Amino acid sequence: MSTLVNASNGPSESAGSNRPLSEVLSATFPPFDQRAKVVAPFDDESKRDAEFARKLNSMLLELILDFHAWSAARPAHETDKAADALEKEIKGLQNTEQEQEKTRQRLNEFITRIKLALAALTGLAS
């Protein structure tokens, strides 16, 4: 029984050549290399995942430290800013008080002059 078989259905032979069935059945197929086809790509992907997790953890730690530094410094900054605003307001009040005191003194001097003028006028009238 010498039937011819198309080699494209068998092991690595050039397409289109016809071989006897007994030769096709006796041919050995190359063994499946699971290390190169499955294990190595899986190991590579696992290593990439581990490296990504390490970098992500490092970036998250840096972010947390930066956020902590910002949050710790923020109240001090706001306190300094509020203190500056209060000092400015106090200086403004002190300037206003000084101006009011000067105005009070001028008004007092004016009233004193008016009283003297009235006394002088009433003294002339008598």
Side-chain angles (χ1 to χ4, degrees):
M1 175 180 210
S2 126
T3 307
L4 295 177
V5 177
N6 187 344
S8 62
N9 293 335
S12 58
E13 291 288 326
S14 63
S17 68
N18 292 329
R19 296 184 309 167
L21 181 59
S22 60
E23 185 181 325
V24 171
L25 293 176
S26 65
T28 59
F29 288 91
F32 178 70
D33 187 7
Q34 76 274 7
R35 178 83 186 137
K37 300 286 184 189
V38 177
V39 176
F42 178 79
D43 287 345
D44 292 344
E45 188 65 28
S46 295
K47 288 176 186 174
R48 279 196 299 271
D49 287 347
E51 180 64 21
F52 174 76
R54 189 190 62 74
K55 285 182 181 179
L56 181 63
N57 287 339
S58 175
M59 290 169 57
L60 288 173
L61 177 62
E62 189 174 327
L63 175 67
I64 289 169
L65 291 175
D66 287 346
F67 184 76
H68 174 70
W70 173 83
S71 66
R74 191 71 187 159
H77 172 71
E78 288 178 0
T79 301
D80 291 344
K81 191 175 177 181
D84 290 344
L86 286 174
E87 287 177 7
K88 188 176 181 180
E89 190 174 336
I90 289 170
K91 286 180 183 179
L93 287 173
Q94 288 174 340
N95 289 338
T96 302
E97 285 177 346
Q98 289 174 354
E99 289 175 21
Q100 286 177 346
E101 181 59 28
K102 288 179 185 177
T103 302
R104 190 192 65 76
Q105 287 175 355
R106 285 194 309 253
L107 185 59
N108 195 18
E109 289 173 7
F110 176 72
I111 291 173
T112 303
R113 287 185 191 146
I114 294 291
K115 284 183 181 178
L116 289 174
L118 283 174
L121 284 174
T122 55
L124 287 176
S126 41

